[in-house]
């Protein structure tokens, strides 16, 4: 196992500072694979690993290292290079959809920072793989489960954020609608009061006109002989 751990550390040291969540999952799976022989039942003397376990561990470490290098190329590439890498992975998968090619394509889709990112489709592909884990190498199984968990968490957070944003927008709309209703009610009330005021003013003007008319008639009546 020391050799595999050394290989895992070497791969980890080559990861760029801007490594994505998919690359982190590859590293985690690689470390798990490096220690897989500790979890296998031993039929030999302590400290003596079985040849089959060593071969499986070495194969898994090699495949995962290739995945990591491919993800590094994808993250560091130009937009044109990124498009070509994703297109090649999709073409390989559609031509011969083996579990390894499906996993590689899912990792491409799950990696952020390029136009081909498609988390829902990556989630679907990974769920298909984890439904039949025996088709993958031990390291690939660990990688598929880790990456699927990260995607599930990410999509759950996105859905929750969308729900909160929708609730916030709905609350803002309701507050605005309530404010508009209040303004409309106040406007209607002001219009009613203005109308009543105008009617009252008109009545007062009418009364004033009647009084003025009566006052104008009084002198002529008083000047007549009895």
């Amino acid at each position: 196992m020391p050799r595999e751990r050394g290989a895992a550390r070497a791969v980890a040291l080559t990861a760029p500072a801007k490594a994505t969540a998919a690359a982190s999952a590859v590293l985690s799976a690689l470390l798990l694979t490096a220690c897989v022989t500790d979890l296998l039942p031993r039929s030999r003397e302590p400290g003596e690993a079985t040849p089959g376990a060593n071969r499986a561990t070495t194969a898994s470490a090699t495949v995962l290292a290739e995945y990591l290098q491919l993800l590094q190329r994808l993250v560091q590439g130009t937009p044109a290079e990124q498009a070509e890498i994703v297109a090649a992975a999709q073409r390989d998968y559609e031509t011969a959809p083996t579990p390894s090619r499906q996993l590689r394509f899912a990792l491409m889709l799950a990696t952020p920072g390029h136009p081909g990112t498609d988390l829902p489709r990556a989630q679907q592909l990974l769920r298909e793989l984890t439904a039949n884990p025996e088709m993958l190498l031990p390291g690939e199984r660990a990688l598929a489960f880790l990456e699927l968990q990260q995607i599930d968490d990410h999509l759950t957070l996105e859905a929750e954020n969308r729900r909160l944003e929708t609730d916030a927008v709905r609350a803002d709309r309701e507050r605005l609608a309530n404010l508009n209703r209040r303004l409309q009610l106040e406007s209607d009330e002001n219009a009613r009061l203005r109308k009543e005021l105008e009617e009252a003013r008109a009545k007062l003007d009418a009364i004033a006109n009647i009084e003025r008319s009566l006052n104008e008639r009084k002198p002529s009546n008083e000047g007549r002989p009895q």
Side-chain angles (χ1 to χ4, degrees), residues 9-75:
R9 285 195 296 269
V11 172
L13 291 175
T14 61
K18 61 177 182 178
T20 62
S24 299
V26 174
L27 289 173
S28 299
L30 186 56
L31 292 173
L32 288 173
T33 303
C35 298
V36 71
T37 53
D38 290 340
L39 303 178
L40 296 175
R42 296 180 180 272
S43 58
R44 301 191 177 194
E45 294 297 326
E48 185 179 0
T50 61
N54 281 335
R55 285 195 296 271
T57 302
T58 301
S60 293
T62 300
V63 170
L64 293 179
E66 292 175 355
Y67 287 150
L68 179 57
Q69 291 174 359
L70 187 60
L71 292 179
Q72 284 181 306
R73 286 178 51 210
L74 179 64
V75 171

Side-chain angles (χ1 to χ4, degrees), residues 28-222:
S28 299
L30 186 56
L31 292 173
L32 288 173
T33 303
C35 298
V36 71
T37 53
D38 290 340
L39 303 178
L40 296 175
R42 296 180 180 272
S43 58
R44 301 191 177 194
E45 294 297 326
E48 185 179 0
T50 61
N54 281 335
R55 285 195 296 271
T57 302
T58 301
S60 293
T62 300
V63 170
L64 293 179
E66 292 175 355
Y67 287 150
L68 179 57
Q69 291 174 359
L70 187 60
L71 292 179
Q72 284 181 306
R73 286 178 51 210
L74 179 64
V75 171
Q76 297 173 344
T78 64
E81 291 172 341
Q82 291 174 337
E84 177 58 29
I85 292 172
V86 175
Q90 181 176 3
R91 185 168 54 251
D92 290 343
Y93 166 66
E94 293 176 348
T95 301
T98 63
S100 294
R101 290 185 175 185
Q102 183 171 342
L103 177 58
R104 185 182 301 111
F105 183 41
L107 292 175
M108 298 293 102
L109 298 177
T111 301
H114 65 92
T117 301
D118 188 345
L119 291 183
R121 189 177 182 190
Q123 183 185 52
Q124 177 185 358
L125 293 173
L126 290 171
R127 282 180 176 172
E128 293 175 359
L129 289 172
T130 54
N132 298 284
E134 67 279 358
M135 302 298 294
L136 299 169
L137 291 171
E140 289 179 321
R141 285 199 295 270
L143 174 58
F145 279 107
L146 287 171
E147 186 63 26
L148 179 58
Q149 183 179 10
Q150 290 182 357
I151 293 176
D152 288 342
D153 292 343
H154 184 84
L155 292 179
T156 299
L157 289 176
E158 279 191 345
E160 180 64 15
N161 287 336
R162 285 194 299 270
R163 185 188 67 79
L164 292 175
E165 290 175 357
T166 301
D167 291 345
V169 170
R170 184 184 300 111
D172 289 341
R173 288 178 178 174
E174 290 178 355
R175 283 194 295 269
L176 182 59
N178 291 334
L179 180 59
N180 288 334
R181 282 194 294 270
R182 288 178 55 189
L183 291 175
Q184 186 61 44
L185 290 175
E186 291 177 0
S187 177
D188 294 342
E189 180 66 12
N190 289 336
R192 185 184 66 81
L193 292 175
R194 282 196 300 270
K195 183 179 180 181
E196 291 180 354
L197 180 60
E198 291 173 356
E199 291 176 351
R201 185 179 292 115
K203 290 179 181 179
L204 290 175
D205 290 343
I207 293 173
N209 290 333
I210 293 173
E211 290 179 349
R212 187 166 50 252
S213 177
L214 292 175
N215 290 333
E216 289 175 352
R217 293 178 182 178
K218 284 182 180 180
S220 59
N221 291 335
E222 292 176 355

